[in-house]
């Protein structure tokens, strides 16, 4: 596709940002479809390449409802594929390969996953595609990534949860562990893939070099988000627990008079304030209950004390009181209720799909690019006549482009003023750093990033030990500037004047109280893009509420699907931070593209809740399209049958099994000695006999060692996993073979295996550059070399505690 004159990548000022990009989609999974959806939402022409009988998701409904409407396609398919086009190519048939090659020669990006016909399955390589289309980017999504000893192992989102150590940590000690309900992992993988794919697309068009093969591993994406950087944490903090015992957050989802209400007490002060909310301040003074572990040990007592208050009040009454005390709180959303919540209605978060149902809108807002109405999803093969006609003379061969020897750095030369804290904002700016930007993290000794104190350790310098602080801040430089002082604020404003991107994720009032809202940032630097990531957005009744990832999981409905049917909903545990962070990177790259095309900077708004609502979209879609309320099913799932967790020999030894493809079932039936059950060929038939199947699997697993059972299942082609802790998952040969961990020496904690972002570019990860910075580590370097201060002025700022390297409140 043609490049814009004047340095822009794609499109025209009056069009959508990616309106001159063509994407070919060869996928059959939620992660693949949502990745391509993000490109379609940004204006790209996404051509869905389908087999003759269509994408299996066309007929999908989690509730088993028949597809309806004029198209005959399921509502969830219509959500994932709105605005795309469809061509039918039999990739296994005569001529299919040539049809694909002709179409690929006109494309900018190919998105593929292992559920559909892949480029490799057609006997092609990315290098061959580049011969006719040098700038083409290939974005491949697979469970394990390409290469490595496990790359052909059967796996799906549910078994990967266990392989990374997440499943073991969730639930009641000595009882069956619980996986995360729904498909949150697939949306998380898609957000990573879209951000990395767009970065490669930008680089290919600007550098006049060959497009890259971006190889995204679902497992790697989930290692950091589902277990909170357990790999690096266990390596340097041997006394950390890293999921050694199952638990449930307390307080979290609690019963009210008229439903469920969710709390999140990350800090000790939040727990004390929570105790005031429930009229039990004495609980905050009980040393047995000061920690999450202590409350879990005394859970029945604590739950009873909480319920005395919550069950006597309505959800609205509890939310109002907790909000006054700034305790993170939310009603528990579900498919029937979440779209009617006042905040989402006020902000217009939910929109109508042409198929006649409700869906969440695109989870970011660009101030210079107003959103468009939701377009319809394509009918099967609707673009065949236009796109599969003979291409004629291809013209002269394209000019050769040099191959890359290192991953592209499309953001090289850009500077980011990073005001973000905790996880979602910092992980977004961390990827911007890996893509080449100079990211300067701004904290203060009066108010360091709160995540620095979330290590679970007791050390004199514990603010340097937090796993999230390490994992989400590699590559950055750190400066401490007290924004509450005139001197500190003046220097931050000077840094804004020198930056291309300003990013923050406080509740809106915080930066606005400092006088650093969009109007002021734009006045200081008309060329700067401002990325704001408040939990609930910049407008609406909830705009100033504090919210963490667990709050998002509660409000969005993600928690509603996790847990036992008869028990309380459980939070998935923080995955929404990475989910929101990767959506923010994608939106930021779009804003950079817009600036390249038009010279115009803009405000980018990425509310954490709206990324969560997209990941939970199927619940609202099922309710509004079919009147069906999706419910918790424990470890069962509408996506797979059988699916469950089964006890093996030994204490607390469990095996995860998830049959999500009909072809896997006969092998499992034969393995457990039930060959006659192979006739239950469809998922629906197996769902109907799930109890009977579970009994047989349980008996088979109970006679075996956990790891032996898993090996037998995998050898038969059945997705399976052992239930292991985050610490147990560290020594993984797949991670080692792919070189996923980048070992660096940190000045305080020593050697740290920092995790790469989950995509290899032509076989290599982006280098992370440097370890996560210590508090104020680069004060003098930034103040002198970037802001131009002399030694005397730097000394004066240190004396006034405008800068420093140790929290001012620490003894």
């Amino acid at each position: 596709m043609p490049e814009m004159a004047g340095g822009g990548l794609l499109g025209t000022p009056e069009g959508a940002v990616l309106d001159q990009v063509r994407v070919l989609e060869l996928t059959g999974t939620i992660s693949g479809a949502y990745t391509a959806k993000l490109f379609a939402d940004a204006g790209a022409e996404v051509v869905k390449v389908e087999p003759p009988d269509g994408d299996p998701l066309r007929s999908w409904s989690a509730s088993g409802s028949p597809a309806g409407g004029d198209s005959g396609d399921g509502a969830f398919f219509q959500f994932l594929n709105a605005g795309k086009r469809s061509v039918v190519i039999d990739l296994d048939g005569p001529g299919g390969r040539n049809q694909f090659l002709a179409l690929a020669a006109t494309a900018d990006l190919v998105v593929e996953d292992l559920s559909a016909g892949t480029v490799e399955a057609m006997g092609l390589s990315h290098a061959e595609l580049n011969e006719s289309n040098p700038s083409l980017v290939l974005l491949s999504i697979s469970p394990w990534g390409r290469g490595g000893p496990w790359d052909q192992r059967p796996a799906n989102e549910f078994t990967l949860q266990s392989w990374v150590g997440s499943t073991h940590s969730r639930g009641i000690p000595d009882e069956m562990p619980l996986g995360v309900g729904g498909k949150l992992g697939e949306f998380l993988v898609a957000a990573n893939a879209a951000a990395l794919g767009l970065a490669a697309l930008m680089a290919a068009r600007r550098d006049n070099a060959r497009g890259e093969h971006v190889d995204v591993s679902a497992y790697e994406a989930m290692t950091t988000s589902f277990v909170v950087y357990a790999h690096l944490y266990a390596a340097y903090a041997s006394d950390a627990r890293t999921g050694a015992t199952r638990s449930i957050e307390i307080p979290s989802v609690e019963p009210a008079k008229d439903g469920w209400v969710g709390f999140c007490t990350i800090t000790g002060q939040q727990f004390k304030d929570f105790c005031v909310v429930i009229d039990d301040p004495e609980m905050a003074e009980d040393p047995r209950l000061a920690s999450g572990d202590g409350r879990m040990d005394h859970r029945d007592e604590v739950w009873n004390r909480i319920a005395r208050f919550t069950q006597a009040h309505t959800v609205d009454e509890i939310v109002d009181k907790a909000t006054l005390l700034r305790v993170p709180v939310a009603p528990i959303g579900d498919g029937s209720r979440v779209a009617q919540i006042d905040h989402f209605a006020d902000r217009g978060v939910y929109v109508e799909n042409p198929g006649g149902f409700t869906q969440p809108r695109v989870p970011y807002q660009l101030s210079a690019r107003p959103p468009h109405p939701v377009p319809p999803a394509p009918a099967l093969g609707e673009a065949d006549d236009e796109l599969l006609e003979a291409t004629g003379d291809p013209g002269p061969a394209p000019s050769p482009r040099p191959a890359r020897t290192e991953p592209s750095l499309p953001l090289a030369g850009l500077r980011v003023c990073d005001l973000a804290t905790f996880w979602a904002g910092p992980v977004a700016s961390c990827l911007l750093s890996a893509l080449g930007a100079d990211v300067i993290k701004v904290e203060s000794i009066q108010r360091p990033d709160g995540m620095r104190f979330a290590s679970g350790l007791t050390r004199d310098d514990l603010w340097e030990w937090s796993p999230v602080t390490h994992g989400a801040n590699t590559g950055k430089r750190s400066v401490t500037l007290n924004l509450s002082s005139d001197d500190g604020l003046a220097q931050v404003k000077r840094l804004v004047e020198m930056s291309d991107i300003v990013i923050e994720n406080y509740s809106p009032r915080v930066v606005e109280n400092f006088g650093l809202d969009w109007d002021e940032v734009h006045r200081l630097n008309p060329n700067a893009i401002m990325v704001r990531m408040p939990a609930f957005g910049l407008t609406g009744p909830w705009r100033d509420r504090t919210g963490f990832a667990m709050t998002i999981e509660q409000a969005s409905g993600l928690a509603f699907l996790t847990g036992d049917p008869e028990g309380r909903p459980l939070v998935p545990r923080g995955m929404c931070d990475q989910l929101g962070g990767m959506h923010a990177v994608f939106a930021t790259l779009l804003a950079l593209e817009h600036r390249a095309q038009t010279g115009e900077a803009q405000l980018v708004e990425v509310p954490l809740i709206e990324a969560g609502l997209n990941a939970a979209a199927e619940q609202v879609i099922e309710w509004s399209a079919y009147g069906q309320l999706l419910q918790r099913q424990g470890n069962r799932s509408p996506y797979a049958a059988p699916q469950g967790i089964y006890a093996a020999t030994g204490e607390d030894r469990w095996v995860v099994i998830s049959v999500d493809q009909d072809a896997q079932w006969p092998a499992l039936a034969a393995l457990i000695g039930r060959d006659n059950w192979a006739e239950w060929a469809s998922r629906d038939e197996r769902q109907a006999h799930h109890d009977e199947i579970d009994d047989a699997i349980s008996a088979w697993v109970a006679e075996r060692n956990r790891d032996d059972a898993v090996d037998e299942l995998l050898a038969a082609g059945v997705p399976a996993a052992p239930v292991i802790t985050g610490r147990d998952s560290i020594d993984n040969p797949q991670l080692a073979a792919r070189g996923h961990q980048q070992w660096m020496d940190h000045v305080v904690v020593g050697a740290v295996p920092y995790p790469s972002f989950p995509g290899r570019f032509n076989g290599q990860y982006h280098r992370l550059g440097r370890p996560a910075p210590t508090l104020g580590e680069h004060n003098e370097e930034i103040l002198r070399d970037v802001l131009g201060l002399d030694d005397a002025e730097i000394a004066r700022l240190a004396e006034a505690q405008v800068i420093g390297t140790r929290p001012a409140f620490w003894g």
Side-chain angles (χ1 to χ4, degrees):
M1 308 301 289
E3 292 185 41
M4 276 288 293
L9 170 61
L10 315 153
T12 58
E14 64 274 15
V17 181
L18 302 184
D19 68 351
Q20 291 189 32
V21 170
R22 174 173 285 176
V23 177
L24 300 190
E25 178 193 340
L26 289 84
T27 77
T29 65
I30 293 171
S31 58
Y34 189 74
T35 298
K37 177 186 186 299
L38 288 172
F39 283 90
D41 290 340
E45 179 193 24
V46 176
V47 180
K48 190 174 183 65
V49 179
E50 300 189 68
D53 54 353
D55 182 344
L57 285 172
R58 283 186 177 271
S59 59
W60 169 253
S61 164
S63 64
S65 300
D70 296 337
S71 68
D73 294 323
F76 193 47
F77 173 87
Q78 294 181 62
F79 163 72
L80 290 170
N81 294 281
K84 299 177 184 178
R85 311 189 70 187
S86 170
V87 297
V88 172
I89 299 178
D90 184 356
L91 298 175
D92 297 322
R97 183 177 186 272
N98 289 337
Q99 284 183 310
F100 172 79
L101 280 171
L103 204 52
T106 71
D108 302 279
L109 173 69
V110 173
V111 179
E112 65 170 7
D113 63 34
L114 293 186
S115 70
T118 62
V119 168
E120 185 177 340
M122 284 183 273
L124 296 170
S125 67
H126 181 235
E128 290 174 276
L129 296 179
N130 277 157
E131 291 177 5
S132 59
N133 188 348
S135 64
L136 181 68
V137 173
L138 175 62
L139 176 58
S140 301
I141 303 169
S142 61
W144 301 105
R146 302 297 179 87
W150 289 12
D151 69 342
Q152 298 301 311
R153 277 192 169 191
N156 57 38
E157 193 257 10
F158 192 74
T159 63
L160 290 177
Q161 289 183 32
S162 195
W163 279 115
V164 303
S166 171
T167 304
H168 184 279
S169 68
R170 189 177 301 98
I172 302 297
D174 301 322
E175 295 183 9
M176 181 184 294
L178 290 163
V180 175
K183 287 288 187 179
L184 177 54
E186 292 213 38
F187 283 92
L188 176 81
V189 172
N192 277 272
L196 295 172
L198 181 54
L201 184 62
M202 293 171 63
R205 303 301 295 273
R206 287 192 176 142
D207 297 346
N208 197 38
R210 283 182 177 268
E212 294 164 292
H213 182 192
V214 184
D215 163 26
V216 174
S217 162
Y219 174 70
E220 291 169 7
M222 293 169 67
T223 56
T224 53
S225 59
F226 270 67
V227 286
V228 196
Y229 299 101
H231 294 79
L232 66 84
Y233 194 35
Y236 68 72
S238 58
D239 52 340
R241 291 182 61 163
T242 61
T245 304
R246 270 189 291 291
S247 65
I248 295 173
E249 287 76 7
I250 304 175
S252 183
V253 180
E254 308 297 339
K257 181 189 291 185
D258 58 346
W260 297 99
V261 63
F263 300 95
C264 177
T265 55
I266 297 290
T267 68
Q269 185 60 52
Q270 287 170 344
F271 178 67
K272 291 180 179 179
D273 293 339
F274 166 79
C275 293
V276 175
V277 170
I278 65 169
D279 296 337
D280 192 353
E282 293 81 9
M283 187 160 67
E285 306 306 320
D286 188 333
R288 300 174 306 141
L289 311 179
S291 68
D293 292 339
R295 294 191 288 275
M296 188 63 194
D297 291 340
H298 300 88
R299 55 188 174 275
D300 291 333
E301 173 192 344
V302 177
W303 278 332
N304 286 335
R305 293 172 73 165
I306 294 171
R308 279 202 297 266
F309 175 85
T310 58
Q311 290 186 322
H313 295 82
T314 66
V315 170
D316 287 344
E317 290 169 345
I318 297 167
V319 167
D320 288 345
K321 185 175 182 182
T323 299
L324 287 174
L325 292 173
R326 301 202 61 77
V327 175
V329 65
I332 301 303
D334 64 37
S336 68
R337 302 178 184 182
V338 67
Q340 282 71 51
I341 289 176
D342 60 347
H343 181 74
F344 305 142
D346 185 270
R347 283 177 52 82
V349 171
Y350 283 93
V351 296
E352 287 302 306
N353 185 285
F357 58 87
T358 301
Q359 68 172 66
R361 68 183 178 185
V362 176
Y364 57 82
Q365 303 295 308
L366 306 178
S367 62
R369 300 281 190 170
H372 301 290
V374 179
L380 180 64
E382 54 84 21
D384 284 357
D385 291 343
E386 177 183 349
L387 297 178
L388 297 184
E389 61 186 10
T391 57
D393 184 358
S399 58
R401 298 193 183 191
R404 298 183 187 274
T405 57
E406 295 287 339
S408 59
L409 297 174
L411 305 189
L414 301 185
R415 177 172 291 145
V416 178
C417 176
D418 181 8
L419 304 174
T421 64
F422 282 86
W423 192 359
V427 78
S429 55
C430 186
L431 180 51
L432 299 180
S433 171
L435 295 174
D438 174 22
V439 178
I440 298 176
K441 182 177 179 66
V442 180
E443 304 174 77
S444 69
I445 59 173
Q446 292 78 16
R447 188 177 180 175
D449 183 342
M451 190 56 80
R452 286 187 175 275
F453 300 91
S455 68
L457 304 175
T458 303
R459 282 177 164 58
D460 290 339
D461 53 359
L462 67 85
W463 61 88
E464 303 297 358
W465 290 80
S466 162
V468 176
T469 297
H470 277 273
N473 289 283
T474 53
K476 302 178 185 180
R477 297 191 286 172
S478 170
V479 63
T480 51
L481 289 166
N482 182 7
L483 273 72
S484 297
S485 71
D486 291 342
D487 284 332
L489 184 59
Q491 296 307 323
V492 171
K493 288 185 174 182
R494 292 188 62 221
L495 185 59
V496 168
E497 292 172 347
M498 302 174 182
S499 298
D500 297 275
I501 300 167
V502 178
I503 184 170
E504 63 89 16
N505 65 327
Y506 290 100
S507 58
R509 64 183 179 83
V510 175
V511 294
E512 292 167 7
N513 287 344
F514 288 129
L516 287 173
D517 60 7
W518 165 239
D519 289 341
E520 177 65 4
V521 167
H522 192 55
R523 185 192 70 80
L524 290 168
N525 182 353
N527 196 48
I529 293 163
M530 188 174 192
V531 183
R532 302 195 64 182
M533 301 174 61
F536 301 111
L538 299 175
T539 61
W542 295 8
R543 79 179 294 269
D544 289 322
R545 289 188 186 178
T546 302
F548 295 91
M550 284 76 83
T551 320
I552 302 308
E553 294 161 3
Q554 293 162 350
S556 66
L558 290 168
F560 185 75
L561 289 188
T562 299
D564 287 321
E566 66 279 2
R568 65 184 69 213
L570 303 179
V571 292
R573 286 191 163 156
M575 296 78 169
C576 281
D577 276 305
Q578 285 245 341
L579 182 74
M582 294 304 99
H583 278 93
V585 172
F586 186 83
T588 302
L589 297 180
L590 292 178
L592 287 169
E593 270 316 309
H594 174 87
R595 190 179 74 171
Q597 295 169 12
T598 68
E600 179 185 24
Q602 63 182 305
L603 172 65
V604 179
E605 181 186 359
V606 191
L608 202 59
I609 185 63
E610 297 197 32
L613 292 171
N614 269 260
E618 192 168 18
Q619 295 181 60
V620 171
I621 291 169
E622 284 282 335
W623 177 258
S624 59
Y626 310 121
Q628 296 295 318
L629 181 63
L630 300 184
Q631 299 280 1
R632 292 182 298 288
Q633 296 187 34
N635 288 315
R636 291 187 182 180
S637 167
Y639 309 99
Q643 177 173 290
I645 300 180
Y646 307 91
T649 58
E651 182 180 355
D652 202 30
R653 309 285 277 184
W654 303 87
V655 173
V656 175
I657 298 173
S658 177
V659 174
D660 63 344
Q661 298 176 30
D662 290 341
Q664 299 160 352
W665 168 241
L668 175 57
L671 199 63
I672 63 175
R674 297 292 194 275
D675 299 78
N676 58 311
W677 289 357
E679 64 188 29
W680 298 335
S682 73
R683 183 190 299 112
D684 289 345
E685 290 175 296
R686 297 191 298 277
Q687 293 282 15
H689 295 87
H690 213 306
D691 289 345
E692 188 177 356
I693 294 171
D694 270 353
D695 288 344
I697 295 175
S698 295
W700 183 84
V701 174
E703 296 176 349
R704 286 163 173 79
N705 171 277
R706 180 195 67 185
D707 295 341
D708 290 342
V710 170
D711 288 343
E712 288 186 65
L713 290 159
L714 293 174
V718 178
V723 175
I724 56 177
T725 69
R727 187 181 299 280
D728 292 335
S729 70
I730 297 166
D731 298 322
N732 184 287
Q734 183 68 8
L735 291 179
R738 282 172 55 87
H740 178 252
Q741 296 169 348
Q742 300 184 33
W743 284 88
M744 290 185 276
D745 288 325
H746 186 270
V747 66
V748 174
V749 306
V752 180
Y754 288 103
S756 303
F757 284 94
R760 295 202 301 185
F761 286 55
N762 290 349
Q764 299 182 66
Y765 296 101
H766 284 102
R767 304 312 301 169
L768 299 175
R770 67 178 87 202
T774 59
L775 183 64
E777 179 179 351
H778 305 97
N779 280 346
E780 293 188 12
E781 177 182 317
I782 292 167
L783 295 174
R784 181 183 298 111
D785 299 342
V786 178
L787 297 174
L789 304 188
D790 59 26
D791 290 345
E793 179 65 4
I794 293 172
R796 185 185 73 80
L797 294 176
E799 178 66 23
Q801 289 200 317
V802 175
I803 64 173
T805 58
R806 185 180 180 86
F809 51 81
W810 203 257

